[in-house]
Amino acid sequence: MHITELKAIVDIYSLDKMSSQTTKVVLSLNATEVNLLKEGLNFKKNPEDGFCYIIFKSKDGLKACKNQCKHQGGLFIKDIEDLDGRTVKCTKHNWKLNVSTMKYVNPPDSFLQDQLEVLDDGALQLLELSPVHPWLTDPRETLELQEGEVKVTYLTHACMELQLGQKRFMFDPWLKGPAFARGWWLLHEPPDDALDRLCAADLIYISHMHSDHLSYPTLKVLSERRPDAPIYVGGLSRPVFWYLEQSQVKLTNINVTPFGVWLNIDEHLRFMILMDGVHPEMDTCIIVDYKGHLILNTVDCTRPNGGRLPQNVDLMMSDFAGGASGFPMTFYGGKYTDSWKTDFIKTERRKLLNYKAELVRSLQPRIYCPFAGYFVEAHPSDKYIKDTNVKNTAEDLNALINKLAPDIKTWTPKPGAVLDLGLALKDSSNSEAISNPPTNAKVYKDSWEFDLYVEEINSAISCEIFKHQSWIQFYYTWAGFKNYNLVVRIIESDDHFEPLRDGYDYLVDFLDLSFPTARPDREHFYIEIKNRVGVMRYVVLHGCLWDDLYIGFQNRISRDPDVYHHKYEHIHREYH
């Protein structure tokens, strides 16, 4: 794989400072208050700052954590369904945490809660280990920006071009073709010169491996025209370019950067990549610093940098759309009626809208721009998804932000629109700070070259290996997921999810990674999955992520019982 470890110019003093930690007392209880703690769950609030904590008392001692769900920061309450008095339930999405073990039990096998250090000598102190905010290392003087010195151009979806003095920095270039196999297509028409801009960029940042950010059809053009274009990715445990060797893309200048370190580009420009708190193995965000002015792009992160982010940045960008990707749109049977899905999506959209607006309000950026949500399920075979999977609009989010924090300037961009940051910071009401594309410019796509890309995917159907049933055992053995009491039935289907007469229909028992002809007699979890044959075989042939099937709406799923299996439905999808 053509990946080089980045030899960044990093100040050794800064590295030393970043590796250090400080301790902060977040809650103190005197001896009397400690004696009054009951066996099991105790909810305590710090009267000075109002933050809440959970303390679990048992014969083995005390355990403590923040009263904050690791998913999206919701508050926990006592779980009335838990007879043992060990579990709390999040008020946002009903995630459940067993505080006696600090393990999440819904979804199972997912996360561990971060514990606080407990100092107990009759009285009690809860300590939080706090690494220094890495962006505070090596502070720089803020210099005035001249008109035209910093320009931010929206191209499409999550793709932004930043002109920073003499440098041009491109984010997440998805400029052509579909994402997630054939499930997502660009909503906006990129400017005519978007690919030329990409090939001329001085720096390209790709946040994570999902194909609406890591677009191989787009990068194929880049590799043909400028294979040595400098690309920067975070040092994730799941490499962003894990699929590079199997692709037709030949890129030779991919730089893997350490997290939380300023990478100096020139006298005035530097950037830092941070990881997601919920998915640190596969998601990142970025802070760009030009002449002391910060631009924060949280991309798709669920809790970017664990919720620790710089306040009062000059420009903040984040995703906004919501809607469903996979769950529950691809599920059928039981409660998964159309009306249930509609209600679920409506509720989740509202939660996401409020969460994003509150995050922006708390960080108080000078300017905020929602992006990374402009896609559509455009293929005719996915009309049901398109009609049902309603998403938030950027206008909805900006309207809520304007209500909650009227001092924050919001920007809803169109393809080719340009924000002059210097002008906007001097006078947010200056109409010349934002240049919109010409009135006759095409905003929304109306054609997507369906045949070209779908035919490429479907070409895998007739591949020689699928004439031999032994591919099944070989493939799942290669994937390596096992020792889990789950049986999955895979059914190859047509575009309408009707089983194919000559398609494969097989069982996989992941307890011992066997392939029985009937479901085993023992008690077990069971999932039935209908996969569109072209996408399924393409994924197998090229070793792609199962996200192409799941997030791309290319399957239909039924579970018995209806339980979320984190180990299978997350790890299994991601590692294929």
Side-chain angles (χ1 to χ4, degrees):
M1 187 174 294
H2 304 292
I3 295 182
T4 59
E5 287 296 322
L6 178 67
K7 295 177 177 61
I9 303 174
V10 180
D11 187 273
I12 296 176
Y13 173 76
S14 296
L15 279 175
D16 180 64
K17 291 288 287 184
M18 288 189 320
S19 64
S20 64
Q21 288 186 314
T22 58
T23 57
K24 175 184 176 182
V25 178
V26 296
L27 181 68
S28 295
L29 300 179
N30 59 38
T32 301
E33 291 170 321
V34 171
N35 289 332
L36 290 175
L37 291 174
K38 63 182 181 180
E39 292 287 321
L41 295 169
N42 296 267
F43 292 83
K44 292 293 179 181
K45 180 183 289 189
N46 186 329
E48 295 181 4
D49 58 21
F51 286 106
C52 299
Y53 302 89
I54 305 173
I55 302 172
F56 186 83
K57 183 179 181 181
S58 70
K59 66 179 187 305
D60 297 323
L62 300 172
K63 288 188 176 183
C65 66
K66 285 185 175 180
N67 186 352
Q68 186 178 62
C69 181
K70 206 165 184 177
H71 181 219
Q72 284 192 1
L75 286 177
F76 288 112
I77 59 175
K78 193 176 186 309
D79 180 16
I80 60 174
E81 297 176 350
D82 175 37
L83 300 180
D84 294 331
R86 299 171 180 268
T87 305
V88 292
K89 180 173 69 173
C90 178
T91 54
K92 274 195 172 183
H93 298 100
N94 294 323
W95 283 43
K96 294 185 179 183
L97 170 69
N98 184 330
V99 187
S100 70
T101 62
M102 293 296 173
K103 294 180 179 179
Y104 282 82
V105 295
N106 180 30
D109 303 305
S110 51
F111 303 121
L112 286 174
Q113 185 77 344
D114 295 327
Q115 294 189 56
L116 299 171
E117 298 291 326
V118 179
L119 297 183
D120 182 13
D121 55 351
L124 178 147
Q125 286 186 328
L126 301 186
L127 300 181
E128 183 179 31
L129 297 177
S130 300
V132 177
H133 295 309
W135 54 86
L136 297 179
T137 61
D138 187 21
R140 290 185 174 178
E141 179 185 1
T142 301
L143 304 177
E144 184 178 350
L145 298 179
Q146 301 303 310
E147 179 179 351
E149 187 174 4
V150 175
K151 290 184 177 181
V152 181
T153 304
Y154 169 70
L155 300 180
T156 187
H157 191 57
C159 186
M160 284 279 193
E161 181 198 59
L162 277 59
Q163 175 199 321
L164 305 154
Q166 300 302 310
K167 300 293 185 182
R168 292 183 180 269
F169 204 159
M170 188 80 77
F171 292 162
D172 286 331
W174 174 27
L175 299 172
K176 63 179 299 178
F180 298 110
R182 39 179 279 196
W184 294 26
W185 304 79
L186 287 169
L187 177 67
H188 287 158
E189 185 73 51
D192 292 339
D193 64 347
L195 285 169
D196 295 332
R197 289 170 178 257
L198 172 64
C199 294
D202 296 291
L203 307 100
I204 299 168
Y205 161 68
I206 296 178
S207 59
H208 62 293
M209 66 176 68
H210 280 165
S211 51
D212 59 322
H213 300 264
L214 179 69
S215 168
Y216 279 99
T218 304
L219 295 178
K220 187 173 186 295
V221 175
L222 178 64
S223 70
E224 292 166 351
R225 293 172 54 178
R226 191 184 168 201
D228 63 344
I231 297 174
Y232 297 87
V233 299
L236 295 163
S237 60
R238 301 182 189 178
V240 173
F241 276 94
W242 69 278
Y243 178 57
L244 187 64
E245 287 184 336
Q246 296 96 319
S247 74
Q248 301 176 23
V249 174
K250 307 301 178 186
L251 296 166
T252 61
N253 192 7
I254 298 170
N255 302 283
V256 181
T257 72
F259 289 112
V261 174
W262 283 122
L263 175 61
N264 299 310
I265 302 302
D266 60 28
E267 179 186 3
H268 297 301
L269 174 62
R270 60 183 181 172
F271 69 90
M272 172 184 295
I273 297 178
L274 302 171
M275 66 175 64
D276 183 31
V278 173
H279 300 292
E281 78 287 352
M282 65 165 294
D283 222 340
T284 72
C285 58
I286 188 170
I287 302 172
V288 177
D289 178 1
Y290 179 77
K291 289 189 173 181
H293 295 273
L294 296 185
I295 297 173
L296 170 66
N297 175 11
T298 63
V299 205
D300 287 354
C301 288
T302 305
R303 279 182 60 77
N305 200 45
R308 298 180 179 186
L309 294 169
Q311 293 188 317
N312 308 118
V313 300
D314 292 289
L315 173 63
M316 175 182 174
M317 297 176 270
S318 79
D319 64 333
F320 67 91
S325 56
F327 182 86
M329 296 306 306
T330 64
F331 285 70
Y332 68 93
K335 68 182 180 185
Y336 297 109
T337 63
D338 286 350
S339 60
W340 188 92
K341 292 178 183 179
T342 299
D343 291 343
F344 177 89
I345 292 169
K346 183 178 180 180
T347 300
E348 291 301 302
R349 281 171 46 215
R350 184 174 64 251
K351 288 179 180 178
L352 179 66
L353 203 68
N354 291 328
Y355 170 70
K356 292 293 181 182
E358 181 58 32
L359 178 63
V360 174
R361 186 203 63 76
S362 67
L363 294 178
Q364 289 290 307
R366 297 282 298 278
I367 304 166
Y368 172 73
C369 174
F371 80 149
Y374 298 105
F375 70 94
V376 61
E377 301 89 345
H379 194 275
S381 65
D382 289 325
K383 185 177 186 302
Y384 163 73
I385 301 291
K386 178 183 177 183
D387 292 344
T388 309
N389 194 26
V390 181
K391 305 168 191 66
N392 293 322
T393 68
E395 290 82 1
D396 290 339
L397 178 54
N398 279 344
L400 183 56
I401 292 170
N402 292 335
K403 180 180 178 181
L404 296 175
D407 291 338
I408 298 174
K409 179 180 178 61
T410 56
W411 175 34
T412 306
K414 295 180 180 179
V418 181
L419 170 71
D420 187 312
L421 189 60
L423 289 180
L425 294 178
K426 289 176 183 175
D427 179 4
S428 62
S429 64
N430 186 349
S431 60
E432 296 182 0
I434 295 177
S435 303
N436 287 313
T439 55
N440 61 346
K442 190 174 183 179
V443 175
Y444 297 102
K445 291 184 71 70
D446 54 20
S447 63
W448 291 270
E449 298 182 290
F450 291 139
D451 290 344
L452 172 65
Y453 293 104
V454 174
E455 285 177 8
E456 179 184 353
I457 290 171
N458 286 342
S459 65
I461 296 174
S462 58
C463 183
E464 176 68 24
I465 68 167
F466 298 110
K467 297 177 183 178
H468 310 280
Q469 191 164 357
S470 58
W471 73 265
I472 298 172
Q473 183 173 352
F474 178 86
Y475 175 67
Y476 289 94
T477 302
W478 165 79
F481 180 78
K482 59 183 178 179
N483 300 322
Y484 194 79
N485 188 24
L486 173 69
V487 176
V488 175
R489 181 184 178 188
I490 305 292
I491 305 168
E492 291 187 328
S493 74
D494 61 17
D495 273 7
H496 305 288
F497 301 103
E498 294 297 324
L500 293 172
R501 179 179 301 177
D502 56 349
Y504 286 100
D505 183 340
Y506 56 91
L507 294 168
V508 184
D509 187 343
F510 287 103
L511 187 62
D512 57 1
L513 202 55
S514 61
F515 305 89
T517 56
R519 289 177 60 177
D521 293 334
R522 73 172 192 277
E523 186 174 333
H524 60 273
F525 295 106
Y526 178 72
I527 302 178
E528 187 171 286
I529 306 176
K530 300 174 183 177
N531 287 328
R532 284 177 173 161
V533 60
V535 182
M536 176 65 191
R537 294 192 182 186
Y538 188 89
V539 165
V540 170
L541 186 63
H542 296 282
C544 300
L545 302 177
W546 271 45
D547 283 346
D548 286 348
L549 289 156
Y550 181 71
I551 300 179
F553 312 108
Q554 301 301 300
N555 54 22
R556 294 296 181 265
I557 300 170
S558 177
R559 300 186 296 208
D560 179 26
D562 184 22
V563 174
Y564 175 55
H565 300 279
H566 181 269
K567 280 190 174 180
Y568 176 79
E569 296 183 32
H570 179 72
I571 299 174
H572 184 70
R573 287 191 291 109
E574 300 289 358
Y575 273 109
H576 273 72

